[in-house]
Amino acid sequence: MKYSEYKKLLKDHTLRITDCRINVLEKFYNTTHALSFKNLEDALSDYDRVTLYRTLSSFIEKGLLHRIPSDDGYASYGLCREDCTEGGHHHDHVHFKCNVCGHIECLPAYHVPKVELPGYEVNEQNLIVSGVCKICRKSFNGE
Amino acid sequence: MKYSEYKKLLKDHTLRITDCRINVLEKFYNTTHALSFKNLEDALSDYDRVTLYRTLSSFIEKGLLHRIPSDDGYASYGLCREDCTEGGHHHDHVHFKCNVCGHIECLPAYHVPKVELPGYEVNEQNLIVSGVCKICRKSFNGE
DNA sequence: GAATTAATGCAACCAAATTGCATCATGACT
DNA sequence: AGTCATGATGCAATTTGGTTGCATTAATTC
Ligand SMILES: [Mn+2]
Ligand SMILES: [Mn+2]
Ligand SMILES: [Zn+2]
Ligand SMILES: [Zn+2]
C-alpha cells in the first residue's frame, strides 16, 4: 500500500497525518495477524510508548482498529475492514488465537452464529476460538 | 447453603478449610452473577488483597471457579457447576455481559455453537454475548 | 498435642497503563 | 508563504492491578 493511501485513510477518518500514525498503519497493513501493544512497541521503538498508546486509542475511536480481548488479559488490535466509523464498530467475525505461535487473527469470512437468549436483549457477540492456526499446523505436519 | 456443605466442597477439591475460603465460597454461592476481583475485595474487605488473589488462583486451579475474560480487560470469576477438577475445566456455556448493570452471567443452559474452520485445529471456544440482561430489561419496561 | 505443611498478612516490588505539562507539528485561514 | 489555533508528541511522574518474599499463624496428619 502506498504512502498517499495511508494519508487518505487517515484523512477519511478525521485524523491528522503524522509520522507515527503512518508507520502504525503501515505495520498493521503489512501484517496478516492482529498486533498486541508489545508487538507495536517492539516494531516501532523510536516512538514513545505513550504516543503508541494514544495512537491505538484514536484509531479505535475513529474506527480504524478494533480491540480484540484475549483470555490471557493482553488485548490485540485488528484492522477494521468493515464500515466502522467514529459512530461505532460493526464486527461480527470470529477471532482465532493460535496456542503455538500466539498470534491472533481476524477471520472476516466467518461470522459469529447468532444465539437466541430468550429474555435478554442481545447487542453484540464476541467469539474467540483457540487452537492451532493454518501455518503452525502445516509446519507441524508436512514441514 | 450450609457451612458444612462449603467445608465438604473444599475438602472434595483438596483445599484446606479456612475462614477466607469459606467466605469467598459463600459469596459466590449467594450471588447470581459472576464476580470480579473488585467485587470480592469490596465484599470481603477484612482479608488482604493478596489472600483474595491467592484464593481465586487456588479455586481456579482446583476446579471450583473459572475465569471469564471480558472485552474491557477485567476478568470475572464464575462457579464451576460442571465436573471441573484439578485436571482441567470443561466449559462450553455462553457468558453474558449486561451493558446496563455491568454484571456478567454464566448461562449454563446455552452452549457455544461449534464453528468449523477448515485448515485450523479448534481446541476451545469462548463466546461472550453482551446486551441487556433479564433484570435490567424488566426494570426498564414494566417498572 | 507435637510435627508438618499450607495459608495469611504485610511490605516491597513490578509491569502496564494513564496523566500533566511543556514543546513541537499540522492544517486552516489569511 | 506566514500566522494562528489546535492537536500530537515526548518525557517524567503517577496510578493501577497484580505478584513475590518472608515471617507469622493456622490447619492437618499422626
Ligand atoms: Mn477482528
Ligand atoms: Mn461461566
Ligand atoms: Zn500459529
Ligand atoms: Zn443488567
Side-chain angles (χ1 to χ4, degrees), chain B residues 79-90:
Chain B
L79 280 170
C80 297
R81 303 193 188 263
E82 292 137 81
D83 59 337
C84 296
T85 68
E86 185 153 11
H89 290 267
H90 317 90

Side-chain angles (χ1 to χ4, degrees), chain A residues 66 68 93 95 106:
Chain A
H66 60 287
I68 309 163
H93 60 261
H95 288 123
C106 293

Side-chain angles (χ1 to χ4, degrees), chain A residues 96 98-103 105 131-137:
Chain A
F96 187 87
C98 177
N99 293 323
V100 177
C101 63
H103 290 162
E105 283 178 72
V132 186
C133 78
K134 281 183 177 176
I135 296 164
C136 289
R137 248 185 117 186

Side-chain angles (χ1 to χ4, degrees), chain B residues 117-131:
Chain B
L117 303 178
Y120 293 81
E121 179 187 325
V122 172
N123 292 342
E124 228 178 295
Q125 302 200 150
N126 204 323
L127 176 63
I128 300 176
V129 180
S130 58

Side-chain angles (χ1 to χ4, degrees), chain B residues 1 11 30 45 49 56 60 65 72 78 80 90 103-106:
Chain B
M1 215 176 183
K11 207 169 282 181
N30 290 324
S45 54
R49 292 177 327 118
L56 285 177
I60 290 171
L65 290 179
D72 60 11
C80 297
H90 317 90
H103 291 161
I104 292 184
E105 283 178 72
C106 293

Side-chain angles (χ1 to χ4, degrees), chain B residues 4-21:
Chain B
S4 61
E5 296 185 84
Y6 293 124
K7 271 176 72 169
K8 181 170 178 350
L9 210 53
L10 289 174
K11 207 169 282 181
D12 289 350
H13 287 82
T14 62
L15 284 161
R16 285 198 176 177
I17 288 132
T18 70
D19 227 46
C20 178
R21 287 178 178 167

Side-chain angles (χ1 to χ4, degrees), chain B:
Chain B
M1 215 176 183
K2 196 69 210 83
Y3 182 79
S4 61
E5 296 185 84
Y6 293 124
K7 271 176 72 169
K8 181 170 178 350
L9 210 53
L10 289 174
K11 207 169 282 181
D12 289 350
H13 287 82
T14 62
L15 284 161
R16 285 198 176 177
I17 288 132
T18 70
D19 227 46
C20 178
R21 287 178 178 167
I22 296 279
N23 277 295
V24 170
L25 263 190
E26 204 171 17
K27 176 74 185 163
F28 272 99
Y29 272 93
N30 290 324
T31 314
T32 56
H33 53 86
L35 297 169
S36 66
F37 176 77
K38 193 87 183 28
N39 291 155
L40 256 197
E41 196 184 14
D42 292 345
L44 300 166
S45 54
D46 38 339
Y47 297 104
D48 194 88
R49 292 177 327 118
V50 179
T51 304
L52 293 176
Y53 275 118
R54 292 197 266 229
T55 302
L56 285 177
S57 304
S58 59
F59 279 11
I60 290 171
E61 191 184 330
K62 296 302 174 74
L64 225 38
L65 290 179
H66 60 287
R67 201 185 132 92
I68 309 164
S70 181
D71 46 355
D72 60 11
Y74 293 93
S76 286
Y77 303 88
L79 280 170
C80 297
R81 303 193 188 263
E82 292 137 81
D83 59 337
C84 296
T85 68
E86 185 153 11
H89 290 267
H90 317 90
H91 299 281
D92 72 333
H93 60 261
V94 174
H95 288 124
F96 187 87
K97 179 182 173 181
C98 177
N99 294 322
V100 177
C101 63
H103 291 161
I104 292 184
E105 283 178 72
C106 293
L107 300 179
Y110 295 94
H111 296 240
V112 179
K114 274 268 169 213
V115 290
E116 280 299 320
L117 303 178
Y120 293 81
E121 179 187 325
V122 172
N123 292 342
E124 228 178 295
Q125 302 200 150
N126 204 323
L127 176 63
I128 300 176
V129 180
S130 58
V132 186
C133 78
K134 280 183 177 176
I135 295 164
C136 289
R137 248 184 117 186
K138 247 178 199 161
S139 67
F140 198 72
N141 292 341
E143 188 62 34

